[in-house]
Each structure stands twice: as C-alpha cells, then as structure tokens.
Amino acid sequence: MSKLVILEIGDADNEQRYPITLKIGDNINSMNSQIRRSLPPAKDLRKSYDNLKQARMERGFGFYRKLEKLSKGQITNISVQESANCVEISVNNWLNSGDSVFQPVRDRVLQVLSAEGGNVRLIIQTDDVTLWSFPWHLWEIFAQFKVEPVFSLLTTHLKSEFPRIRYKSQVRILVILGDSSNINVQADLLLLKESITQNDADIETLVATSSSKLNDQLWEQNWDILFFAGHSYSEDDYNQGKLALSETESIAIKDLKYGLENAIKHGLKLAIFNSCDGMGLVNELASLQIPAVIAMRERVPDEVAQKFLEYFLQAFAREKKSLSDSVRKARERLHGMDVEYPCASWLPMIYEHPAVESPTWDELLRGNEEERQRVSIWRNLRTVLVASVLVTGVVMGVRWMGLLEPLELPAYDHLMRQRQPEPIDPRLLVVEIPGSDLDKYGNPLKDATVAKLIEKIEQNEPRAIGLTLHRYQPQQPGREAFVAQFSNPNLFGMCAFGEGNQKGYPPAPELSEKQIKDQIGFSDLQIDDRLDNNGSMVRRQLLSYNPQRFPSSCPSPFSLSLKLAYRFIYGENIKPTLENDKWKFGKIILQPLGSQTGGYQKLGESDQILLNYRANPMPAQKVTLTEVIEGRVSRNLIKDKIVLIGVNDPRGKEEVDTPYGRMPTVWVHAHMVSQILSAVIDKPNRPLLWVLPQWSFIQWGDTLFIWVFALSGGLLVWRFRSPLQLTLAAGVATCIIYYLCLATLHRGGWMPLVPSVLALFASGGTVVIYTVSREQKQA
C-alpha cells in the first residue's frame, strides 16, 4: 500500500501567505506525522500564469475542442511557449524559494518521496480552487519521482460512507455525448469501445440528450463511470460548471444534484469530463462527495482531448495502472503535442476524495479484494454445488438402471473379506461328511447311516439338529429307522422349491403332514448370477416364501435356517412373532429388503435379508461323520447347540460361491443361522446388515452419502490446482471413502463405495472442464 501524503493549504492571510499542514500516514485515519508551516506568497506565479492564459486565449488555443486556424496578428507559438517557461520557473521558485518557514515542509516531502521511491499518494487539499489550476506537476520534486498530485477540498467530509465496489461481470459506463458543434465527440465513443474489452464494459450512450433523460439514467440505473464529451465551461470563481447537452440545452451540475447524489450512493466512482474548462464541474461534484473526477483545467483542443482519452484508457483499462499513474502517463505522452498545442500536457487534473482509495480498473470490474474473494468463493462454490448435484443425479440414475451392480457387488465382497476375523459361534456345531466318509459309508449315504448319525447326536441333547441332506428318495437299508428319527421334534429336514434355475426337491414322503409342516424347512439359496455365468454367488438369506405364489413340491414356507434359529431363540425365553409379514424376535425385526437395497436395484418382492457372514469362513466348530459315529466327539460340543449335518465334498455339487470363495452349502446355512442368533441374542455386538434409509424407491440416504463425496471432488479441484497435489488429494479422498465404508461395514452398514468414488472423480472432472472452458473464454 502506498504512503499517503496530504498538503492542507488554507486561505491566504493578509500577507498572502498560505497556512500549510503536511500530514503523512498509511491512510486518512492513521496520519502519524504533521508539520504546520506556511507557503510564501504566490504573486509571481499568479502573474505568470495569468499571462500564459491570456497568451493562449489570444493565440486561439482551445476556445473549442478544436484548434482554430491562425489569423494575422495573433500571438505566435513562441510567445505562448515563453509564457509557459515563465510559469514553470515561477512554480519552482515559489516552492523552492528557501523560505525558512516552508523549507521544513519541502524537506520532509522530499524525504518521504525518497524513502518510498515515489510510491506515494499525494493530495493537495484546499478550498482555494484557483490553486488547483496551477501546474503543480512541474515542481522538480514531483517530476523527479514521477508523482502526480491530486486535488481535494478541505471541507470534504472524511467520515462519509461509500458503497463497497460490488463484484460484477462488467464495468457500467454512462457516456454522454453533448453539443458537438465544431468538434468530433463520436471519436471519444469510438476510443472507449476500441480501448475497453467488450466483455469488460457495458456502455450506455446518450447523444445530444435532454436533462430529464440524463436525470432518469442517474436515478434508474447504477453506474461505475460517468463520461462526458462535448462543450462545457466554468464560472470565473469556479463555483459552478455547466454541460452543453445539445445545441439547445445546457445544464449546471447543481441542477443534477439529487440524481448525481443517488448515482454516487449506488456506486458511481469516477466522472471524466473530456471537455473545456472543467474545474467548476469538479468543484461542484466534490461537494457531492464523489470519489474521483478527471477534468481539463482550461479550454482544450479537440485533437488533444482525443489523444488524452486514448493514452489514459490504454494505461487505465489495458495496463491496469492506478488512476493517478494513468493520468501521469497520458500527460507525459501529451508532452509531444506541446509544440503544436502549447501546454497541452498541463490541462488534465485529478480530484480524489482523501478517504477513498482511487479505483483501479480491476477494482471497478471485480470489486475490492475482500468482495472479489467473497464473490469468487461463492461463484466457485456455486459451480461445485451445481456440478456435485448434477453428477450425483447422473450416478444415481446409472445406478438405478442397474449398470453399477457388476462393480458394486464385487466391491461389497472385497470389503466383506477385509473385515477383521471373528470368533466362531459357540452355539453351533457342523457335522461334515467329507469325501473320505462318503467313500467309507457309501455315496449317497444309506438311510441307516444317517439314522445312526442322528441317534448319536441326539444322545448328547442338542437344542436342534438341521439335516441339510435331501432324503426324498429311500436309500435302503434303514429307511424306517431314518423316518423314525423325526419323532424327535428337534430334528429338522429340508426340501427345495427350486426357484429360477434351481432344482426342486420334495420332503421325504414317509413323513406325516404335521412333521412336514413343523420340521421341514426349504434349503433354497438366493443366487446372484456371476458375470461369466459360471457358478453362483450367495449374498442374501431367504427367510420365507409363498407356496401359493411359487407352486412346487416343497410345501414349507419357511427356510431351514429360520426354523433352526427359531427353535434356539424360543429356548432363550424370547417369543418370536410375525407382525405385518415381518419376523420380530423381541425388539429385533428381520426387516425384508426393498427392491433397491445398497448396490441391488431390482431384487423383486421376497422375504429376504442380507447375509452377514462371520468374518471367518468357518463360523462354527466341526466334526466328521466318522468321529460322531465312532463316539469320538465330546458331549459338550453338542449339548444345547444347533447341529447342522451336511456334505463337504468338492467332487459333488454341494458348493456355492460366497464372498469368501467356494463354500459347502452346509456352511452357508451355518452362517445364516448364526447371523439370526447373533442379531437377536448378541444384539448390538453383531447386528444385521443394514443400508442407509430410503423412501419407496428413492435411496435418499445413499444419494446424500454420494453427494457428499461428489461435493468433495469439486472442492478438491477448487482447492488444489497443481496436478500433483490434486492427484495426491484425490488418492487420499479415495482412501477415506474406502476405509469409511470398511469401518461402517464392521458395524453392519453397507455404504455405496463404487458410486461415491465415481462421483468424487466425475464431479472433480466436471469442475475442471468447466473452469478451463471459462478461463479460455475469458482469455
């Protein structure tokens, strides 16, 4: 930030000395240094300047914005230049006079300019407007450090509140082309349009307008810059200025007072009068607390006015220089016209309100830094929000169509395998019939062998026995002994209704109707076809089905696993009930899956739940058929437990695919029984698998979860622009999603892993594409 230096000059005293106060600080509210002295009389300077004005008047310089041709008898350029040289000498004599009273001020100004390298905002603050007319820029100290002095009034209200420059896509400029008699004001309009990028400015033009139309524009719209080109003049005392709006109408600034006050209140920051004799205009606008004005001190030739505007716009709008630096650079370039138009470079002046930093083009366009950052944040956040919502909608739409199932289900299996190992369920025992036992006892097993096995188990008082062997056909000898075992109500067999591609199997026909009803459960597994159509995958547990809806030779509506779990839980004094077609065990409800659950999108209607495999391929202890028959199994392994009997022979077809690889069906049934027992008895330690809430077919919980990471992807792109940083951030975000889903699965929750990762990258990619496209357009 540049240092602020203010020269406060009061009215001349009886000796024609000007009281002066030098103030130095960082801004108007922190002036930490003051020197009070006085300026010597400016009698010689006034006389020299009056002579110059008279010479230029007689020379014909600037009666209009067009130089008139010389006529005989007029003063020559040489005499005007001599007067100008006298003025320059007088300025430096006045300010370098060595006057002991003023010398400390001069020395301190020189010290500050030297220390700051000329990076100083220097304001000459006085109510004596005639002092504004002096060419202060000629003082050798200002010339040495290229300082452009600006002017202000002592009576300015320093505590005035100014509207913050709001962000906008364009600078709004009200261009007034007034009376164009003998001048070319259209050239000014052309320069504005050529020098300012079309995307940067919205230019509204009033040509030879009326005061009422101008007033309406000041009231009805908000402007950043007011520009006037045409004829204007000021009273001799500079207390009033007038604009020639057309050949027939002129208007004083005071007659636009309320309209201008409204425009300033709503953001007018700069007025430019590229017209003659503008100090009266500046004086009146200054009283209205306008932030900045640029005007011509005297009458200006048309060519000079056009060149000044061209040079100023190039520095201000294209090179993004400050207001004072832009005027200084334009003045320096006008110096080349001083030969043809003597003192042309002296004409421009700047007024600035001391409490307001003069606006730059970027600030007019984008607002102050705080506002620009706030709007930029909101604009980027809005882009990220829109992108995240659109991406989430697309991902959920693709998911609803089932196109993500081939990715989501394997990802779910992977997460299942990554869970920490769990201990076996102490309430279960599996009696395996391996291939060696089949070779020993016969394949298929004889009914007598099965009956003997059941008898041996029953001697140790199990809570229930589940036989996962289809015995619908007699396997003599021993059929009668096998059927007789079902007199024990704790023995459960199975049948299969054979939905889909599965084969149906009826129960043993020798069983009574009551035994079939109470002691037979279906063994059908819910199969997810693999992508290669080779094998099957079991991720769900079917609890019941409607025999009337699926007519088959298997009359049991309940699964074998449910019946076994029911028998055990009943023995724990927990009374299972069926409410609204939902099994309820105490406070635990086996909530059936909806048609859309997790990665599944078209499950159909059935009483099924997700199968929460124990994170251990063997959820229970095991013994073999031989060990039981030969009496080598401890009673404690069987007493009060659920015992499942089944084949484990890779040579047969009793295996299915699971997240833990190929598994004999007896072990799948063991997992199913264990999950119900754990959910009901162990309660929060091992709950049923769950998904985020949904309403009807709308998975709003998953949608919200996916949106969070879609939003995160956009925010990462906003935060990290470096490809390396963005890659690392995206990798970290992916790991966060992965481990969050894994940790949640430990607690029983199935989170949408694949859709979230897709949304993360798709949203980030969308924001990148949009940002690059926008930057290319702006370039």
Side-chain angles (χ1 to χ4, degrees), residues 137-193:
H137 66 279
L138 298 176
W139 190 15
E140 59 185 22
I141 292 179
F142 292 165
Q144 177 184 352
F145 292 99
K146 295 186 177 298
V147 173
E148 181 69 22
V150 300
F151 300 90
S152 182
L153 292 175
L154 272 174
T155 52
T156 297
H157 300 300
L158 297 182
K159 294 185 179 181
S160 299
E161 293 187 3
F162 294 91
R164 296 168 66 185
I165 302 178
R166 299 290 180 181
Y167 174 84
K168 45 200 168 296
S169 60
Q170 293 180 312
V171 176
R172 303 213 65 215
I173 304 175
L174 177 60
V175 175
I176 307 164
L177 302 181
D179 180 13
S180 59
S181 301
N182 300 319
I183 59 175
N184 181 14
V185 295
Q186 288 294 332
D188 294 56
L189 180 61
L190 183 61
L191 283 169
L192 284 167
K193 292 181 176 180

Side-chain angles (χ1 to χ4, degrees), residues 341-484:
Y341 302 102
C343 306
S345 61
W346 298 10
L347 297 178
M349 65 161 293
I350 310 175
Y351 162 87
E352 287 184 4
H353 196 291
V356 184
E357 283 283 344
S358 58
T360 65
W361 180 259
D362 280 344
E363 287 172 351
L364 288 174
L365 181 62
R366 299 182 178 88
N368 58 41
E369 185 65 20
E370 178 185 350
E371 181 70 14
R372 181 166 63 87
Q373 289 180 355
R374 185 188 68 81
V375 174
S376 177
I377 289 173
W378 165 240
R379 183 182 63 189
N380 291 331
L381 182 59
R382 182 177 58 189
T383 299
V384 170
L385 284 171
V386 171
S388 65
V389 170
L390 290 177
V391 166
T392 302
V394 171
V395 170
M396 290 303 296
V398 172
R399 192 188 200 212
W400 179 82
M401 295 170 64
L403 299 179
L404 295 185
E405 277 191 20
L407 298 175
E408 285 198 77
L409 297 183
Y412 169 77
D413 297 339
H414 173 78
L415 290 176
M416 291 287 285
R417 292 192 295 271
Q418 301 307 307
R419 296 184 302 171
Q420 295 178 354
E422 299 178 78
I424 62 175
D425 193 328
R427 294 162 297 218
L428 272 70
L429 175 69
V430 173
V431 178
E432 273 192 351
I433 305 173
S436 58
D437 282 357
L438 291 175
D439 294 338
K440 179 177 180 180
Y441 293 101
N443 187 10
L445 289 175
K446 303 305 180 183
D447 287 335
T449 304
V450 176
K452 185 177 181 180
L453 174 62
I454 295 172
E455 183 180 355
K456 286 283 188 179
I457 295 172
E458 287 179 344
Q459 291 174 0
N460 294 291
E461 300 180 1
R463 187 78 61 93
I465 302 173
L467 185 63
T468 65
L469 303 173
H470 289 292
R471 309 304 293 180
Y472 63 94
Q473 290 181 341
Q475 300 292 332
Q476 299 292 0
R479 185 65 171 179
E480 294 79 6
F482 167 73
V483 173

Side-chain angles (χ1 to χ4, degrees), residues 482-497:
F482 167 73
V483 173
Q485 295 300 321
F486 280 89
S487 61
N488 181 355
N490 292 330
L491 175 62
F492 295 87
M494 67 179 188
C495 60
F497 58 82

Side-chain angles (χ1 to χ4, degrees), residues 645-698:
I645 304 170
V647 173
N648 182 5
D649 183 10
R651 297 171 299 180
K653 297 182 180 180
E654 294 84 6
E655 288 188 347
V656 292
D657 289 312
T658 73
Y660 293 95
R662 297 285 289 176
M663 186 179 295
T665 56
V666 65
W667 286 107
V668 175
H669 288 293
H671 279 287
M672 291 177 175
V673 174
S674 177
Q675 104 150 335
I676 297 176
L677 297 181
S678 298
V680 175
I681 299 174
D682 301 338
K683 292 181 181 175
N685 295 329
R686 198 169 193 279
L688 294 170
L689 291 178
W690 50 270
V691 295
L692 292 171
Q694 64 185 65
W695 178 75
S696 185
F697 61 89
I698 301 175

Side-chain angles (χ1 to χ4, degrees), residues 174 176 206 209-219 223 226-228 232 240-245 249-265 268 271 273 281 284-285 287-290:
L174 177 60
I176 307 164
L206 298 178
T209 188
S210 64
S211 58
S212 60
K213 290 181 179 179
L214 173 56
N215 190 62
D216 288 343
Q217 289 290 339
L218 295 175
W219 276 100
W223 305 103
L226 184 149
F227 177 85
F228 175 82
S232 63
Q240 187 181 75
K242 286 189 176 183
L243 305 174
L245 298 179
E249 183 176 2
S250 295
I251 187 170
I253 294 296
K254 67 177 183 179
D255 295 327
L256 293 170
K257 175 182 177 181
Y258 298 109
L260 288 168
E261 283 182 339
N262 179 74
I264 294 168
K265 178 181 178 182
L268 180 62
F273 296 101
L281 304 171
E284 286 196 275
L285 278 172
S287 67
L288 301 180
Q289 309 301 309
I290 191 169

